């Protein structure tokens, strides 16, 4: 494959905060004088007591990670109180409801007041520092308010995506032994209501059977729909806030006290309760949000993720608010009422910085250019992406059709575990290659290793590890430090193993090739699934594809491709043959798919990621134990795929 390269768009380059030479200077310092660099970065947050320590950590067993450990802070002071004087009337949260025209603005002053009242409600229900509080919320400002209210009193929030089932919610309540649940009567997405309270009630019952009783359910009224009520347990938020004060002093927290638990999306197995702490996480959130988005005071910043994912935590709530930015919260979906919605919202609110996921970009790309071209998008100056490798085809569409070549595409590689962006083409500093994550964030020291842990140099491909700690690193798996060590530090002792594979090109740029579990080994040649999928995706008849390995008599592993075609395509054997030929020309004969299955849908997690472990089982004709499928967005897809496999 040829790697196309685009220069920094010139209008952007002339006003960017960072210039190409800044990257080298800052990166150099961040790795040669880590103490000094991160001591300075620590000043991005407000400390009650400034830390004298910076990083204290070891990746050798027993793994210990601490940053700014003797510092004392409350993250809400950085996100709210300190802005009151200069930004009190600035919009903090700009809410865009599911239904167009339903929007609402909360200034920093208003947000501060709401957080304090909410915090006092939690206190009145007995919540104290260290308690775990579960949130199961729609994308409404109250979700952010609830998170901050927990932080205000030192409670640890665990946000569970509002699309999860009662079983999945209960599992997470039980795992972190949480006795307060914050939810809403109903959510609204894409014109349909989501029965949050009904699910939450069911989850409480399931949790009770597992020995964890939720004694307070705090309910936000979103739709006013009918809900059943348990007077001992359930409390309406709007009633409870009426009787509490608007003052709530922030709980002093040690930098290493927990801030939140967040369960990973479960693409590879049982979700893990990732634990982040107050000090280092907030420094990392603020620092990366500033650098990654070239933040300026008058930006209107929109991250379309859900607060149920780490992207929502770091880049809707904590990063933007710590930086005093205006952050858009969107309740709806990209295709409601039609496929123009994202761009319409950008026009309506004059959004300047927009951040979304490849899955959304591909879904909108399927609908053609028309819905985009109906809108102006003239306010946009930067476009970001996160969650999966972005195939060059989708990248090009995002760059040319959505951004009209004016906006850099900032492809951010990171994980729930990393707290914030780790490999990213920092705006203004580097030319871009469609699909390349490019260069490490300041302080991040990636390396590529082979299966035996030997470090590979130069242009090469291997397993991606991180050699040193950074402030936003997760500290443990909640309640299971052994699993933490086992999962991340046992494969390559002394390093953090990301679980992802990557390629480094001649320019030193990193390309994430997908999860290492997903690497296919064909006759001894290792291939990333992302590469084959990108090749398939560049064929005009392919809307989306997922590639896995399956047992093959001769080659060891064969390549199995699930292909979703573009609307109106005839799914013939001739097309299959053409696709095989296409991949041969794009990558080489070694990458030719051995089997192609047309499938109208792919199994995705609720955050939109393809669950290749299920596809691997189906390709291998192994339908017995598909593993944990509770995080699937649409489980029925699996049956359709099995039918297709058996008849194929
Ligand atoms: P689990 O760990 O439970 O399997 P998950 O890995 O999907 O779930 P997340 O932490 O949400 O949970 O996702 C991080 C992963 O997403 C990364 O390890 C990587 O595989 C993928 N990813 C995220 N952003 C990018 C990106 N910009 N380019 C390539 N891959 C990405
Ligand atoms: Mg992961």
């Amino acid at each position: 494959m040829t790697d196309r390269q685009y220069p920094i768009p010139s209008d952007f380059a002339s006003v960017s905060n960072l210039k190409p030479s800044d990257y080298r200077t800052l990166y150099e310092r961040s790795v040669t004088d880590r103490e000094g660099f991160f001591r300075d970065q620590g000043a991005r947050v407000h400390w009650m007591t400034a830390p004298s320590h910076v990083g204290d950590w070891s990746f050798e067993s027993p793994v210990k990670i601490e940053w700014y450990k003797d510092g004392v802070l409350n993250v809400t002071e950085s996100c709210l109180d300190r802005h009151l004087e200069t930004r009190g009337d600035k919009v903090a949260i700009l809410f865009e409801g599911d239904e167009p025209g339903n929007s609402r603005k909360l200034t920093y002053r208003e947000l501060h007041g709401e957080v304090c009242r909410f915090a006092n409600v939690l206190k009145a229900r007995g919540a104290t520092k260290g308690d775990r509080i579960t949130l199961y919320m729609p994308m409404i400002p109250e979700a952010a308010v609830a998170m901050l209210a927990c932080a205000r009193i030192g409670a640890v929030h665990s946000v569970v995506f509002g699309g999860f089932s009662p079983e999945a919610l209960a599992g997470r309540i039980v795992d972190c032994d949480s006795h307060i649940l914050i939810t809403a009567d109903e959510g609204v997405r894409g014109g349909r209501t989501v029965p949050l309270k009904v699910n939450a009630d069911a989850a409480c019952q399931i949790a009770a059977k597992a020995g964890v009783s939720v004694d307070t359910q705090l309910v936000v009224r979103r739709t006013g729909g009918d809900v059943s009520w348990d007077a001992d347990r359930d409390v309406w938020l709007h009633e409870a806030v009426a009787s509490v004060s608007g003052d709530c002093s922030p709980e002093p927290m040690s930098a290493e006290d927990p801030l939140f638990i967040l369960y990973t999306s479960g693409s590879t197995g049982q979700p893990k309760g990732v634990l982040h702490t107050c000090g280092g996480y907030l420094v990392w959130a603020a620092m990366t949000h500033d650098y990654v988005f070239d933040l300026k005071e008058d930006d209107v910043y929109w991250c379309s993720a859900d607060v149920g994912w780490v992207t929502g935590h770091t880049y809707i709530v904590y990063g933007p608010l710590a930086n005093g930015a205006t952050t858009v919260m969107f309740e709806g979906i990209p295709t409601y009422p039609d496929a123009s919605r994202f761009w319409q919202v950008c026009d309506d609110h004059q959004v300047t910085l927009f951040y979304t996921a490849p899955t959304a970009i591909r879904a909108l790309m399927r609908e053609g250019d028309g819905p985009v071209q109906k809108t102006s998008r003239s306010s946009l100056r930067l476009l970001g992406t996160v969650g999966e490798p972005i195939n060059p085809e989708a990248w090009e569409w995002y760059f040319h059709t959505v951004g009209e070549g004016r906006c850099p595409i900032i492809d951010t590689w990171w994980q729930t575990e990393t707290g914030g962006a780790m490999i990213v083409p920092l705006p203004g500093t580097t030319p871009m290659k469609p699909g390349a994550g490019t260069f490490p964030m300041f302080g991040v020291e990636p390396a590529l290793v082979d299966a035996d842990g030997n470090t590979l140099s130069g242009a090469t491909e291997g397993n991606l590890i991180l050699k040193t700690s950074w402030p936003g690193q997760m500290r443990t798996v909640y309640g299971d430090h052994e699993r933490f060590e086992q999962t991340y530090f046992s494969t390559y002792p002394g390093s953090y193993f990301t679980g992802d594979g990557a390629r480094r090109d001649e320019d030193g740029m990193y390309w994430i090739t997908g999860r290492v579990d997903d690497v296919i080994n064909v006759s001894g040649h290792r291939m990333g699934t992302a590469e084959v999928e990108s090749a398939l995706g560049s064929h005009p008849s392919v809307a989306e594809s997922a590639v896995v390995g399956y047992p093959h008599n001769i080659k060891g592993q064969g390549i199995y491709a699930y292909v979703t075609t573009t609307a109106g395509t005839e799914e013939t054997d001739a097309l299959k043959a053409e696709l095989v030929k296409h991949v041969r020309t794009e990558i080489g004969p070694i990458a030719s798919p051995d089997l192609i299955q047309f499938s109208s849908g792919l199994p995705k997690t609720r955050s939109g990621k393809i669950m290749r472990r299920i596809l691997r089982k189906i390709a291998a004709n192994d339908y017995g134990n598909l593993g944990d499928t509770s995080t699937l967005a649409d489980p029925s897809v699996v049956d359709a795929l099995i039918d297709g496999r058996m008849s194929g």
Side-chain angles (χ1 to χ4, degrees):
M1 265 188 294
T2 50
D3 298 339
R4 298 185 67 174
Q5 180 162 315
Y6 289 94
I8 307 162
S10 55
D11 286 359
F12 188 90
S14 62
V15 296
S16 65
N17 294 342
L18 292 176
K19 305 298 176 202
S21 63
D22 294 331
Y23 176 76
R24 221 163 314 124
T25 317
L26 282 164
Y27 185 77
E28 268 305 302
R29 173 161 188 242
S30 75
V31 294
T32 54
D33 173 21
R34 297 175 62 81
E35 282 284 305
F37 180 84
F38 282 117
R39 177 169 292 112
D40 291 354
Q41 293 297 334
R44 287 178 180 271
V45 311
H46 176 83
W47 299 96
M48 293 172 175
T49 308
S52 61
H53 287 252
V54 184
D56 296 284
W57 55 270
S58 165
F59 284 177
E60 306 283 345
S61 186
V63 174
K64 179 194 82 168
I65 298 155
E66 292 173 338
W67 283 86
Y68 309 109
K69 72 173 170 195
D70 58 352
V72 178
L73 78 164
N74 184 289
V75 300
T76 65
E77 282 197 299
S78 291
C79 294
L80 302 169
D81 305 62
R82 69 161 160 180
H83 301 312
L84 294 181
E85 206 171 301
T86 51
R87 300 183 174 117
D89 298 320
K90 179 174 177 174
V91 176
I93 294 180
L94 204 170
F95 170 70
E96 169 74 15
D98 185 58
E99 213 52 56
N102 168 20
S103 73
R104 172 153 73 103
K105 292 175 176 163
L106 269 169
T107 64
Y108 273 94
R109 201 179 320 284
E110 289 164 339
L111 183 61
H112 177 263
E114 288 210 13
V115 168
C116 288
R117 270 186 294 275
F118 203 123
N120 283 329
V121 170
L122 292 174
K123 276 187 177 172
R125 295 297 296 191
T128 57
K129 179 172 174 172
D131 288 353
R132 279 81 50 218
I133 297 184
T134 301
L135 275 65
Y136 182 63
M137 293 285 281
M139 276 291 289
I140 54 176
E142 286 79 358
V145 172
M147 289 163 75
L148 293 162
C150 292
R152 189 78 170 178
I153 63 168
V156 183
H157 58 71
S158 162
V159 183
V160 178
F161 174 56
F164 275 133
S165 65
E167 288 76 16
L169 172 60
R172 288 158 177 75
I173 289 173
V174 170
D175 187 78
C176 68
D177 189 29
S178 165
H179 300 273
I180 299 184
L181 176 59
I182 304 172
T183 189
D185 49 2
E186 293 174 315
V188 191
R189 286 187 89 215
R192 296 210 295 244
T193 55
V194 184
L196 291 175
K197 174 78 162 66
V198 171
N199 291 348
D201 289 347
C204 291
Q205 277 192 4
I206 302 169
K209 285 197 195 111
V212 174
S213 90
V214 171
D215 19 69
T216 295
Q217 201 177 169
L218 201 52
V219 188
V220 178
R221 193 164 65 189
R222 167 62 185 89
T223 63
D226 262 351
V227 287
S228 62
W229 205 254
D230 174 340
D232 292 332
R233 182 193 65 193
D234 299 345
V235 180
W236 281 114
L237 179 74
H238 63 274
E239 287 173 5
V241 290
S243 57
V244 295
S245 130
D247 290 322
C248 175
S249 59
E251 182 74 27
M253 305 290 283
S254 143
E256 284 301 328
D257 281 335
L259 175 60
F260 65 83
I261 297 164
L262 183 61
Y263 292 86
T264 56
S265 71
S267 314
T268 52
Q270 195 74 20
K272 297 171 278 282
V274 169
L275 184 106
H276 282 288
T277 54
C278 297
Y281 170 80
L282 194 69
V283 170
W284 195 244
M287 172 187 128
T288 55
H289 178 258
D290 181 16
Y291 288 135
V292 168
F293 297 102
D294 189 59
L295 191 67
K296 299 185 176 19
E297 188 61 42
D298 53 2
D299 273 317
V300 176
Y301 162 83
W302 179 17
C303 165
S304 78
D306 191 281
V307 289
W309 312 122
V310 73
T311 307
H313 283 56
T314 306
Y315 296 123
I316 294 178
V317 180
Y318 289 111
L321 296 179
N323 289 334
T326 295
T327 179
V328 174
M329 260 184 106
F330 177 48
E331 187 181 33
I333 58 172
T335 48
Y336 178 82
D338 59 44
S340 289
R341 186 68 191 279
F342 269 179
W343 325 121
Q344 194 59 58
V345 173
C346 287
D347 284 358
D348 290 349
H349 298 303
Q350 292 294 292
V351 171
T352 55
L353 313 169
F354 179 67
Y355 191 32
T356 194
T359 181
I361 299 168
R362 286 193 298 262
L364 294 176
M365 203 174 141
R366 269 183 106 168
E367 311 282 331
D369 295 356
V372 186
Q373 283 160 353
K374 268 182 15 198
T375 62
S376 144
R377 287 155 286 112
S378 59
S379 56
L380 288 172
R381 64 182 195 88
L382 179 150
L383 298 169
T385 153
V386 61
E388 282 185 295
I390 181 164
N391 50 311
E393 207 66 18
W395 192 104
E396 299 266 358
W397 186 79
Y398 200 27
F399 182 66
H400 294 293
T401 305
V402 176
E404 295 172 342
R406 203 176 59 239
C407 309
I409 304 293
I410 309 302
D411 176 6
T412 61
W413 173 82
W414 59 295
Q415 313 178 297
T416 310
E417 294 89 336
T418 71
M422 301 294 280
I423 295 183
V424 43
L426 284 175
T429 73
T430 172
M432 301 165 292
K433 294 182 190 174
T438 74
F439 298 112
M441 172 55 79
F442 306 132
V444 173
E445 296 186 82
L448 299 181
V449 295
D450 65 17
D452 302 321
N454 303 307
T455 303
L456 307 168
S457 53
T460 187
E461 188 164 337
N463 295 350
L464 179 65
I465 62 166
L466 302 169
K467 294 192 296 188
T468 50
S469 182
W470 61 100
Q473 184 169 23
M474 77 182 280
R475 303 302 196 250
T476 193
V477 170
Y478 183 76
D480 197 348
H481 199 66
E482 206 183 303
R483 185 171 177 207
F484 176 59
E485 287 203 25
Q486 190 58 37
T487 309
Y488 304 102
F489 301 93
S490 67
T491 319
Y492 302 111
S495 295
Y496 169 85
F497 178 38
T498 63
D500 287 339
R503 167 165 81 86
R504 190 170 46 224
D505 69 17
E506 317 70 47
D507 299 322
M509 288 190 180
Y510 288 87
W511 299 67
I512 306 300
T513 49
R515 293 158 205 280
V516 169
D517 297 350
D518 297 334
V519 166
I520 310 173
N521 194 328
V522 183
S523 311
H525 297 271
R526 290 161 57 79
M527 229 168 319
T529 48
E531 234 174 322
V532 188
E533 287 163 12
S534 292
L536 282 166
S538 67
H539 189 281
S541 301
V542 176
E544 191 163 45
S545 70
V547 165
V548 296
Y550 74 105
H552 189 288
N553 287 341
I554 299 155
K555 304 180 183 177
Q557 268 191 311
I559 297 181
Y560 197 103
Y562 297 84
V563 170
T564 306
T565 54
T566 44
T569 301
E570 241 190 291
E571 300 183 337
T572 59
D573 285 344
L575 177 59
K576 285 187 183 176
E578 195 182 312
L579 291 176
V580 171
K581 201 167 140 230
H582 182 72
V583 176
R584 274 173 167 268
T585 358
E586 291 285 305
I587 312 181
I590 193 71
S592 313
D594 297 279
L595 288 169
I596 293 181
Q597 177 177 338
F598 291 121
S599 44
S600 56
L602 295 168
K604 292 190 179 175
T605 63
R606 305 251 171 190
S607 53
K609 298 182 200 221
I610 297 166
M611 250 201 223
R612 288 189 190 71
R613 66 181 162 85
I614 290 179
L615 294 174
R616 266 199 302 273
K617 293 234 170 183
I618 297 174
N621 278 312
D622 172 10
Y623 317 118
N625 177 18
L626 293 178
D628 182 9
T629 52
S630 68
T631 60
L632 271 185
D634 177 9
S636 73
V637 165
V638 174
D639 295 329
L641 286 169
I642 293 177
D643 287 347
R645 176 65 174 129
M646 301 214 296
S647 61

